[in-house]
Amino acid sequence: MSINLKSLSVDCVLTTASQRARLPLAIVGLLLTAQAQAFLPTPQSVVTTGELAPTSQPAVAKSNAAITTAISDANNDSANTDNNNDTTLLQNTEAEQLLTTWRQQVQQNNLAQQTTWRRLLYFVDDKKSLFGKGKTKSLVDNKDFFLSTKGQQDSGAELDAMLVALAQELTTLAANNSSKAQTNNNSVLCRFPARVQWLTDALNIDDSLLQADCPELDNWMATLAPEQLSVMFAQEYLDNPLSAFAHTLLRIDSPTSAADPSQIHHAYALNDTVDGNPDDPFVIYAIKSMTGLYNNKIEIDPYPKKLAKYLQDDERDTWTYQLALTPAEVRQIMSHVWETKNLALPYYFTTDNCASEILRLIDVVRPQKHLLSQLPYAVIPSDVIQLLSDENLLANNNYTPADSTIRQAQLNKAKQSRQQLGYQQTTKEALNNIKSADINPASSMSADGQSLLTRPISVADNNPLDRHPLQLGHIGVGHRGDNSYIDLGLRAGYHDSLDRPAGLPQFFNLEGLATTLRLYDTDEGKSNSKPKSVVLQNFTLIRGRSFNPVNTAKKGKTWGVSVEATRINDGSQQEGTDHLVGSMTYETGKSWAFGAPRTGSSGSVTGEMPPQLCYTFVTGAAQAGRGINKGFRVGAGMNAGCRYQINNQLRVQAELQLPYWYHGDSNQPDVRGYYWQPITTLGLQYDIDKKQALRLNASYDWQDRVDANDDIQLSYRRYF
């Protein structure tokens, strides 16, 4: 419905001064009588289902006619006293149709169940969430977020309460006879600007009637000056387990920083994060973050402050993707942020996190996209970037190298010159000075932290848009000892050292929720032959390794951890068979990168490390299972290996494991309580394309007390 008072400006010129003075009173009377309708019981028909129907033009015309009639009556009754005129206006039956007409539009267009309205209230009709899917009420459990006492359960009741409050405040604005009247910061115009804007569009209300003075909201908006939004992606970072899957936040650009992205001091960062207790032990912190026992927290900080954390403290490259949103959509998103920024909602590390919040905000202004419902239950930041690209919501991107990446580029250039001009040209001390963050404070940010600098460095091959899909299924055929088998495997994520490396940090290695089932053929000639049945070969909860080569500009450590159930060969007993055990392993060591670093397309230097990697670990492990000697074993030893990047499609990795296992003392002469169990492994992968690969795995167990020493397998891997 359009309440178009702008068209009255011509009529006002033709009236007398006395008539002009009576015009605000006419509007006041109109809205006051409509206000009386607001206290009627909410019609049950307001709560409807279905899609948004076309706006009812006759209803709009009728409402506009009511306003015109009221104003005409006011002008014609200029000889009456003010009190008599007020009484006449309050009894005007046409004016009483205002709120009734709004309610009719809500019913006819099913606005109470319209997708955007329900998203503004945190109803989760189409969200794939283990904890939110199927709920029929809002996720917000805060009475201050609703005007109706039934608002959390009933979006129709909350919509009607908004109409009542809006009619009351329009009355106040009209009574002040001002284009921008003073209002209370607790008014609906100030508390819920996104809801009001949506109602304004849905009901065709004239924007000029809603120009309220909201000091807190106006100051907040003036400070942020939102003109453009971008998604900032900070790459995966294993040295902080809570950042292992990368991180995303929104960059809020003002007109100045939108015109010149290097002027970051004119931008702000909107970050959705966990409001956890830093004093909690890490295990407790992680459990609470994953199960919703912590709340989320919306942080809005100067953008340079957040960017410095990733580039300088964590040494993580970032990618910034401008969102293809209109300025009006940007303002509506920020209005919704204003409404929700202080809500205490449960934080779920895998489902309701920094990445899902970005999709939820975009869904408010692009309801037809249904972005959240397109992702699986686990929401991964790089998946969000890929989805936004697939939906044509990314306008452009910008790469910002971390401080260590810039130092690595300088190191690569120095080594290149050293090889070309002779060793005496660059000393070892000079190379170490380049690697040192204290001596060489190279950065993408200016010294005052207020702007971005242009560095002569090629873009790294870690754009998340280039990575393979994170889920994996494989089928393999193999031979172990005298038995043939078929392997069937599934991995929820993420990436191991032989997977296609594009789109991820170098040498990244993190796997989670992976399982492999094995179907053995029967060897009738062996007494301990495997039956034709499926056995669980492996279930990995988490397995990862962080490589920070000591001869590069990276400053972190090299370490690894795994928690899994796996089949192992028990070497304590004569002709021991394999058994399923629970296993926990921790590794710490050093790694080295070697070879010629990749160059850019124009031959310019990159900040990537050399492509080849060698490493050595000191390891400790504990395993338990009913089938092994005494039900447990603990071990310590060393692992050493190398990974070689043959070309962009082919990689090979070899490793030697030297664990020394202890089961406890045994009185049986043929059972050993402790022993070495060397194992060599070899893996080779060829990438067919971004989503397909072939892998060859081979291993040999050098322990003489196992029923099968060798295992070789060829598998087809499909990423999805």
Side-chain angles (χ1 to χ4, degrees), residues 212 390 507 617:
D390 293 342
F507 312 132
F617 290 105

Side-chain angles (χ1 to χ4, degrees), residues 176-196:
N176 286 330
N177 192 27
S178 171
S179 61
K180 190 172 184 180
Q182 287 285 341
T183 58
N184 192 319
N185 279 317
N186 290 322
S187 68
V188 294
L189 291 171
C190 299
R191 288 172 58 195
F192 304 117
R195 298 190 204 178
V196 170

Side-chain angles (χ1 to χ4, degrees), residues 226-370:
E227 177 74 14
Q228 177 180 287
L229 292 177
S230 301
V231 179
M232 192 275 277
F233 175 90
Q235 68 179 358
E236 293 81 357
Y237 182 56
L238 272 181
D239 288 346
N240 180 354
L242 293 179
S243 299
F245 301 101
H247 186 71
T248 51
L249 56 78
L250 281 178
R251 169 172 162 159
I252 307 168
D253 279 307
S254 65
T256 302
S257 59
D260 183 0
S262 69
Q263 299 303 303
I264 56 176
H265 61 293
H266 290 289
Y268 283 83
L270 189 156
N271 183 40
D272 182 87
T273 186
V274 59
D275 190 15
N277 183 355
D279 295 330
D280 280 345
F282 172 75
V283 174
I284 301 299
Y285 193 98
I287 292 174
K288 288 185 176 181
S289 298
M290 299 177 79
T291 57
L293 296 178
Y294 284 142
N295 290 327
N296 80 321
K297 177 173 62 175
I298 299 296
E299 299 175 332
I300 300 180
D301 298 303
Y303 187 70
K305 175 184 176 181
K306 297 299 293 185
L307 186 61
K309 177 185 182 301
Y310 299 113
L311 298 182
Q312 299 175 353
D313 298 344
D314 295 349
E315 298 185 334
R316 301 159 70 176
D317 292 354
T318 68
W319 287 83
T320 306
Y321 305 88
Q322 180 187 339
L323 291 171
L325 300 173
T326 66
E329 289 172 329
V330 170
R331 288 191 293 273
Q332 178 68 347
I333 286 176
M334 295 310 301
S335 294
H336 181 54
V337 171
W338 168 262
E339 297 176 351
T340 60
K341 60 185 173 63
N342 294 321
L343 294 178
L345 295 173
Y347 182 93
Y348 297 99
F349 181 71
T350 56
T351 58
D352 296 275
N353 53 33
C354 63
S356 65
E357 178 66 10
I358 290 173
L359 295 185
R360 192 191 68 79
L361 291 174
I362 298 174
D363 270 342
V364 167
V365 297
R366 298 285 180 95
Q368 70 279 8
K369 293 290 187 180
H370 298 286

